[in-house]
PDB file of all heavy atoms in Angstrom:
ATOM      1  N   ILE A  21     173.830 129.115  40.613  1.00  0.00           N
ATOM      2  CA  ILE A  21     172.408 128.985  40.934  1.00  0.00           C
ATOM      3  C   ILE A  21     171.773 130.405  41.275  1.00  0.00           C
ATOM      4  O   ILE A  21     170.881 130.866  40.565  1.00  0.00           O
ATOM      5  CB  ILE A  21     172.086 128.036  42.214  1.00  0.00           C
ATOM      6  CG1 ILE A  21     172.603 126.721  41.758  1.00  0.00           C
ATOM      7  CG2 ILE A  21     170.669 128.128  42.603  1.00  0.00           C
ATOM      8  CD1 ILE A  21     172.468 125.598  42.816  1.00  0.00           C
ATOM      9  N   LEU A  22     172.321 131.125  42.248  1.00  0.00           N
ATOM     10  CA  LEU A  22     171.776 132.413  42.662  1.00  0.00           C
ATOM     11  C   LEU A  22     171.872 133.453  41.567  1.00  0.00           C
ATOM     12  O   LEU A  22     171.119 134.369  41.348  1.00  0.00           O
ATOM     13  CB  LEU A  22     172.141 132.966  43.912  1.00  0.00           C
ATOM     14  CG  LEU A  22     171.996 131.927  45.123  1.00  0.00           C
ATOM     15  CD1 LEU A  22     172.511 132.539  46.380  1.00  0.00           C
ATOM     16  CD2 LEU A  22     170.592 131.615  45.269  1.00  0.00           C
ATOM     17  N   SER A  40     165.054 127.933  38.614  1.00  0.00           N
ATOM     18  CA  SER A  40     166.456 127.676  38.992  1.00  0.00           C
ATOM     19  C   SER A  40     166.590 127.336  40.472  1.00  0.00           C
ATOM     20  O   SER A  40     166.698 126.256  40.937  1.00  0.00           O
ATOM     21  CB  SER A  40     167.214 128.828  38.489  1.00  0.00           C
ATOM     22  OG  SER A  40     166.887 130.054  39.144  1.00  0.00           O
ATOM     23  N   VAL A  41     166.592 128.403  41.360  1.00  0.00           N
ATOM     24  CA  VAL A  41     166.924 128.155  42.635  1.00  0.00           C
ATOM     25  C   VAL A  41     165.783 127.321  43.394  1.00  0.00           C
ATOM     26  O   VAL A  41     164.667 127.427  42.983  1.00  0.00           O
ATOM     27  CB  VAL A  41     167.056 129.485  43.452  1.00  0.00           C
ATOM     28  CG1 VAL A  41     165.772 130.436  43.468  1.00  0.00           C
ATOM     29  CG2 VAL A  41     167.673 129.459  44.837  1.00  0.00           C
ATOM     30  N   GLY A  42     166.319 126.456  44.320  1.00  0.00           N
ATOM     31  CA  GLY A  42     165.412 125.499  45.058  1.00  0.00           C
ATOM     32  C   GLY A  42     164.482 126.302  46.044  1.00  0.00           C
ATOM     33  O   GLY A  42     164.716 126.316  47.189  1.00  0.00           O
ATOM     34  N   TRP A 138     175.639 119.492  44.708  1.00  0.00           N
ATOM     35  CA  TRP A 138     175.249 120.953  44.771  1.00  0.00           C
ATOM     36  C   TRP A 138     176.479 121.855  44.509  1.00  0.00           C
ATOM     37  O   TRP A 138     177.544 121.598  45.053  1.00  0.00           O
ATOM     38  CB  TRP A 138     174.697 121.335  46.199  1.00  0.00           C
ATOM     39  CG  TRP A 138     174.278 122.645  46.497  1.00  0.00           C
ATOM     40  CD1 TRP A 138     173.437 123.402  45.723  1.00  0.00           C
ATOM     41  CD2 TRP A 138     174.495 123.388  47.675  1.00  0.00           C
ATOM     42  NE1 TRP A 138     173.180 124.568  46.271  1.00  0.00           N
ATOM     43  CE2 TRP A 138     173.754 124.686  47.434  1.00  0.00           C
ATOM     44  CE3 TRP A 138     175.199 123.258  48.771  1.00  0.00           C
ATOM     45  CZ2 TRP A 138     173.782 125.705  48.461  1.00  0.00           C
ATOM     46  CZ3 TRP A 138     175.252 124.084  49.819  1.00  0.00           C
ATOM     47  CH2 TRP A 138     174.516 125.501  49.627  1.00  0.00           C
ATOM     48  N   ASN A 191     170.547 116.719  45.619  1.00  0.00           N
ATOM     49  CA  ASN A 191     170.451 117.919  44.735  1.00  0.00           C
ATOM     50  C   ASN A 191     171.892 117.907  44.025  1.00  0.00           C
ATOM     51  O   ASN A 191     172.949 118.059  44.550  1.00  0.00           O
ATOM     52  CB  ASN A 191     170.569 119.195  45.847  1.00  0.00           C
ATOM     53  CG  ASN A 191     170.537 120.528  45.051  1.00  0.00           C
ATOM     54  OD1 ASN A 191     170.663 120.556  43.954  1.00  0.00           O
ATOM     55  ND2 ASN A 191     170.578 121.491  45.982  1.00  0.00           N
ATOM     56  N   TYR A 222     166.595 118.569  53.241  1.00  0.00           N
ATOM     57  CA  TYR A 222     165.219 118.498  52.755  1.00  0.00           C
ATOM     58  C   TYR A 222     164.361 117.451  53.486  1.00  0.00           C
ATOM     59  O   TYR A 222     163.530 116.922  52.870  1.00  0.00           O
ATOM     60  CB  TYR A 222     165.300 118.040  51.185  1.00  0.00           C
ATOM     61  CG  TYR A 222     165.994 119.066  50.340  1.00  0.00           C
ATOM     62  CD1 TYR A 222     167.456 119.061  50.165  1.00  0.00           C
ATOM     63  CD2 TYR A 222     165.322 120.131  49.773  1.00  0.00           C
ATOM     64  CE1 TYR A 222     168.001 119.983  49.372  1.00  0.00           C
ATOM     65  CE2 TYR A 222     165.948 121.075  48.938  1.00  0.00           C
ATOM     66  CZ  TYR A 222     167.220 120.949  48.754  1.00  0.00           C
ATOM     67  OH  TYR A 222     167.877 122.022  47.938  1.00  0.00           O
ATOM     68  N   LYS A 254     163.651 124.841  53.575  1.00  0.00           N
ATOM     69  CA  LYS A 254     162.626 124.229  52.643  1.00  0.00           C
ATOM     70  C   LYS A 254     161.430 123.762  53.486  1.00  0.00           C
ATOM     71  O   LYS A 254     160.290 124.102  53.139  1.00  0.00           O
ATOM     72  CB  LYS A 254     163.148 123.170  51.758  1.00  0.00           C
ATOM     73  CG  LYS A 254     164.654 123.344  51.422  1.00  0.00           C
ATOM     74  CD  LYS A 254     164.929 124.336  50.301  1.00  0.00           C
ATOM     75  CE  LYS A 254     166.416 124.435  50.133  1.00  0.00           C
ATOM     76  NZ  LYS A 254     166.784 125.296  49.091  1.00  0.00           N
ATOM     77  N   PHE A 356     163.975 118.750  42.985  1.00  0.00           N
ATOM     78  CA  PHE A 356     164.661 118.943  41.776  1.00  0.00           C
ATOM     79  C   PHE A 356     164.400 117.705  40.802  1.00  0.00           C
ATOM     80  O   PHE A 356     164.365 116.719  41.257  1.00  0.00           O
ATOM     81  CB  PHE A 356     166.234 119.074  41.906  1.00  0.00           C
ATOM     82  CG  PHE A 356     166.417 120.363  42.771  1.00  0.00           C
ATOM     83  CD1 PHE A 356     167.004 120.174  44.033  1.00  0.00           C
ATOM     84  CD2 PHE A 356     166.010 121.573  42.454  1.00  0.00           C
ATOM     85  CE1 PHE A 356     167.267 121.251  44.878  1.00  0.00           C
ATOM     86  CE2 PHE A 356     166.248 122.583  43.235  1.00  0.00           C
ATOM     87  CZ  PHE A 356     166.785 122.501  44.528  1.00  0.00           C
ATOM     88  N   ARG A 382     169.202 121.025  35.766  1.00  0.00           N
ATOM     89  CA  ARG A 382     168.373 120.851  36.831  1.00  0.00           C
ATOM     90  C   ARG A 382     167.186 121.770  36.859  1.00  0.00           C
ATOM     91  O   ARG A 382     167.326 122.951  36.800  1.00  0.00           O
ATOM     92  CB  ARG A 382     169.133 121.076  38.192  1.00  0.00           C
ATOM     93  CG  ARG A 382     168.400 120.681  39.481  1.00  0.00           C
ATOM     94  CD  ARG A 382     169.138 121.282  40.630  1.00  0.00           C
ATOM     95  NE  ARG A 382     168.767 122.732  40.752  1.00  0.00           N
ATOM     96  CZ  ARG A 382     169.085 123.413  41.984  1.00  0.00           C
ATOM     97  NH1 ARG A 382     169.801 122.871  42.883  1.00  0.00           N
ATOM     98  NH2 ARG A 382     168.704 124.771  41.941  1.00  0.00           N
TER      99      ARG A 382
HETATM  100  C1  LIG B  21     169.480 125.329  45.579  1.00  0.00           C
HETATM  101  O1  LIG B  21     170.210 124.325  45.378  1.00  0.00           O
HETATM  102  O2  LIG B  21     168.831 125.897  44.595  1.00  0.00           O
HETATM  103  C2  LIG B  21     169.243 125.674  46.930  1.00  0.00           C
HETATM  104  O3  LIG B  21     169.894 124.912  47.897  1.00  0.00           O
HETATM  105  C3  LIG B  21     169.548 127.150  47.206  1.00  0.00           C
HETATM  106  C4  LIG B  21     170.997 127.568  47.117  1.00  0.00           C
HETATM  107  O4  LIG B  21     171.312 128.241  48.125  1.00  0.00           O
HETATM  108  O5  LIG B  21     171.524 127.246  46.163  1.00  0.00           O
END
Side-chain angles (χ1 to χ4, degrees):
I21 294 176
L22 300 184
S40 59
V41 65
W138 181 44
N191 177 4
Y222 298 90
K254 331 281 174 176
F356 303 116
R382 189 194 81 173

